[in-house]
């Protein structure tokens, strides 16, 4: 029962006359054949998600015993090295976006640093104008580049190819000039990116907090962190785009 | 034409999308297939190719859109509504990525088989097709439940053979293909 994993299988209630009554949780989607000596099953309301704090444990467990699963809060140490690394990533996307503009493109670009910092990483610009294709956003272009850069053929023994998914950006950071649209935000989620840094929010179309926050929705099976770069340097003039555009 | 006749027509198109999903299954991809129909003609057929292309974004819908965009007869001029007058039949509810892409290219309407509880972009997780407001792109209608059971059975056939990723993979011999299908959690049609 993958969707019921946050629930305990058995509810124990103490009886007035002493001893316990155990109630077993079953699922309508996965009917179980019960031994004939048990009473008829009945439908019970249950919480939809695990308890995130101790108060929720108490509240949710009055409905049905619920698993305690606090959200993992990652401790981030902002070393000078890390800030320098982030600033370099931001500078790279700004440079790429400026170059895009010079070439008649929408000034949006994305960049993924190399995993081991040994090479330059991969960058991509928005190309919807030159390709006459409205979906050639910088994130989609970048994901295509990342997959092209992986030369190894898929093997059945390779964990990464299982379940029909290639986890392209697992534990990697993406920098982009503008908050990605819903399509691109979901593409990043499918690719299992770890962190996304952007400079300009897109309040009307963005999928990382603007119009919606795709990695924060109930049901999605991966989360990524979203960071907004706020620096004293303003690139806005050069990188301004229509606020109704999908980045 | 009465509703039953119309449903029969949509189901007949969906049968063609299912053929593409079968092809995906044979290629060991998550079995999702689709066709795009314009003026009573199939203009593109595609299936999921995420493994083959090593790219988690190469879903059937995006494969087909690229094919249509690359064809100068089908796409003579690029406007904001390239797929106006075009209907998509897809075996599984488009994910949020594909639903957003479809809205950005101005799809007319979408018929799908089964819901997608993890990523569904036509109401299951988020209504990217219509309830989510977009400043430019018009909403599109998405209707569920066309050949739903066939679509679910294809997915089950895939996961029963491929899903060895679980912490304690069950041996294939003990895994059983379930054939009973629970009803949809939400009403079958929505806009
Ligand atoms: Zn985008
Ligand atoms: Zn999709």
């Amino acid at each position: 029962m993958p969707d019921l994993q946050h629930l305990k299988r058995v509810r124990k209630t103490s009886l007035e006359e002493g001893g316990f009554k155990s109630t077993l949780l079953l699922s309508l989607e996965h009917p179980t054949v019960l031994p004939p000596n048990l009473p008829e099953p009945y439908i019970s309301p249950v919480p939809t998600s695990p308890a995130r704090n101790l108060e929720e444990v108490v509240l949710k467990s009055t409905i049905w015993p619920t698993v305690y699963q606090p959200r993992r809060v990652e401790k981030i140490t902002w070393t000078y090295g890390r800030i320098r690394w982030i600033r370099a990533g931001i500078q790279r996307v700004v440079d790429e976006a400026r170059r895009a503009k010079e070439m008649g493109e929408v000034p949006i670009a994305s960049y993924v640093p190399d995993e081991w910092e040994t090479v330059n990483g991969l960058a991509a610009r928005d190309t919807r104008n030159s390709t006459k294709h409205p979906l050639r956003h910088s994130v989609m272009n970048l994901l295509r580049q990342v997959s092209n850069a992986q030369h190894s053929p898929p093997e059945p023994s390779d964990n990464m190819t299982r379940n029909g998914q290639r986890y392209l950006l697992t534990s990697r950071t993406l920098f982009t000039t503008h908050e990605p649209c819903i399509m691109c935000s979901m593409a990043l989620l499918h690719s299992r990116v770890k962190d996304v840094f952007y400079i300009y929010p897109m309040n009307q179309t963005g999928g990382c907090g603007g119009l919606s926050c795709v990695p924060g929705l109930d049901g999605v099976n991966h989360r990524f962190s979203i960071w907004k770069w706020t620096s004293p340097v303003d690139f806005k003039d050069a990188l301004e785009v229509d606020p109704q555009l999908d980045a | 034409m009465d509703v039953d006749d119309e449903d029969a027509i949509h189901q007949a198109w969906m049968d063609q999308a299912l053929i593409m999903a079968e092809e995906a299954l044979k290629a060991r991809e998550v079995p999702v297939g689709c066709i795009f129909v314009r003026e009573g003609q199939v203009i593109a057929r595609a299936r999921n190719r995420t493994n083959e292309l090593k790219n988690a974004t190469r879903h059937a819908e995006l494969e087909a859109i690229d094919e249509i965009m690359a064809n100068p007869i089908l796409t003579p001029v690029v406007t904001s509504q390239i797929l106006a007058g075009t209907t998509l039949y897809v075996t599984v509810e488009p994910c949020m990525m594909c639903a957003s892409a479809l809205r950005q290219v101005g799809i007319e309407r979408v018929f799908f088989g089964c819901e997608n509880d993890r990523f569904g972009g036509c109401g299951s997780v988020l209504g990217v097709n219509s309830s989510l407001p977009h400043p430019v792109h018009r909403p599109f209608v998405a209707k569920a439940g066309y050949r739903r059971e066939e679509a679910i059975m294809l997915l089950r056939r895939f996961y029963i053979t491929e899903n060895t990723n679980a912490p304690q993979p069950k041996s294939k011999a003990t895994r059983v293909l379930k054939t009973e299908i629970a009803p949809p959690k939400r009403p079958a049609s929505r806009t």
Side-chain angles (χ1 to χ4, degrees), chain A residues 55-124:
Chain A
E55 192 189 355
E56 279 189 24
V57 174
V58 177
L59 292 173
K60 291 189 171 180
S61 294
T62 57
I63 306 169
W64 186 271
T66 305
V67 169
Y68 175 45
Q69 201 180 87
R71 283 199 200 281
R72 263 176 295 145
V73 183
E74 203 187 328
K75 194 136 173 48
I76 296 151
T77 20
W78 294 99
T79 59
Y80 282 113
R82 184 167 160 85
I83 293 167
R84 209 177 306 123
W85 181 77
I86 293 165
R87 186 181 288 139
I90 292 289
Q91 190 59 53
R92 177 76 185 267
V93 288
V94 168
D95 291 346
E96 293 285 346
R98 283 191 172 134
R99 228 159 290 149
K101 193 180 186 183
E102 284 162 21
M103 296 167 78
E105 303 283 4
V106 181
I108 302 175
S110 299
Y111 164 63
V112 177
D114 182 68
E115 264 172 297
W116 312 109
E117 311 290 322
T118 47
V119 285
N120 278 334
L122 292 167

Side-chain angles (χ1 to χ4, degrees), chain B residues 3-189:
Chain B
V3 179
D4 284 352
D5 288 349
E6 253 198 79
D7 272 359
I9 291 169
H10 297 317
Q11 271 163 6
W13 287 126
M14 193 61 89
D15 286 340
Q16 299 205 34
L18 280 165
I19 293 171
M20 297 311 294
E22 289 270 3
E23 192 186 301
L25 183 71
K26 281 195 202 95
R28 300 188 62 190
E29 300 276 1
V30 175
V32 181
C34 72
I35 60 164
F36 283 73
V37 176
R38 186 185 289 171
E39 291 161 4
Q41 302 270 335
V42 178
I43 59 166
R45 294 166 205 275
R47 61 157 172 95
N48 201 2
R49 298 194 342 151
T50 54
N51 274 339
E52 182 191 335
L53 298 173
K54 289 176 253 153
N55 182 340
T57 71
R58 296 319 292 168
H59 289 185
E61 299 93 317
L62 297 194
E63 285 286 304
I65 290 172
D66 282 355
E67 199 183 307
I68 297 167
M69 294 290 305
N71 184 330
I73 299 163
L74 295 173
T75 313
V77 237
V78 176
T79 64
S80 57
Q81 292 182 357
I82 304 150
L83 294 189
T86 306
T87 302
L88 164 66
Y89 294 88
V90 59
T91 56
V92 180
E93 176 184 357
C95 73
M96 290 180 266
M97 171 183 76
C98 293
S100 171
L102 289 162
R103 194 161 170 184
Q104 291 183 46
V105 294
I107 191 87
E108 195 76 41
R109 56 189 183 154
V110 172
F111 293 91
F112 62 91
C114 64
E115 310 76 11
N116 178 345
D117 290 337
R118 290 257 174 264
F119 306 122
C122 296
S124 286
V125 178
L126 190 65
V128 180
N129 63 314
S130 82
S131 64
L132 198 69
H134 192 284
V136 185
H137 305 301
R138 59 165 188 181
F140 65 85
V141 174
K143 284 181 117 180
Y146 293 82
R147 298 279 187 245
R148 174 173 181 267
E149 297 186 0
E150 289 84 345
I152 292 174
M153 285 311 293
L154 276 170
L155 292 172
R156 283 189 189 164
R157 275 165 61 198
F158 175 79
Y159 284 110
I160 208 163
T161 51
E162 297 291 314
N163 194 352
T164 46
N165 228 1
Q168 290 165 308
K170 295 177 200 159
S171 92
K172 277 184 192 177
T174 64
R175 279 184 267 159
V176 199
L177 184 63
K178 287 196 302 137
T179 50
E180 71 279 2
I181 289 173
K185 288 174 189 153
R186 292 162 296 122
S189 80

Side-chain angles (χ1 to χ4, degrees), chain A residues 9-27:
Chain A
R9 279 304 292 267
V10 177
R11 174 163 67 185
K12 262 189 164 182
T13 32
S14 38
L15 298 169
E16 271 179 32
E17 60 268 32
F20 290 98
K21 180 176 82 176
S22 297
T23 313
L24 182 65
L25 182 69
L26 306 167
S27 158

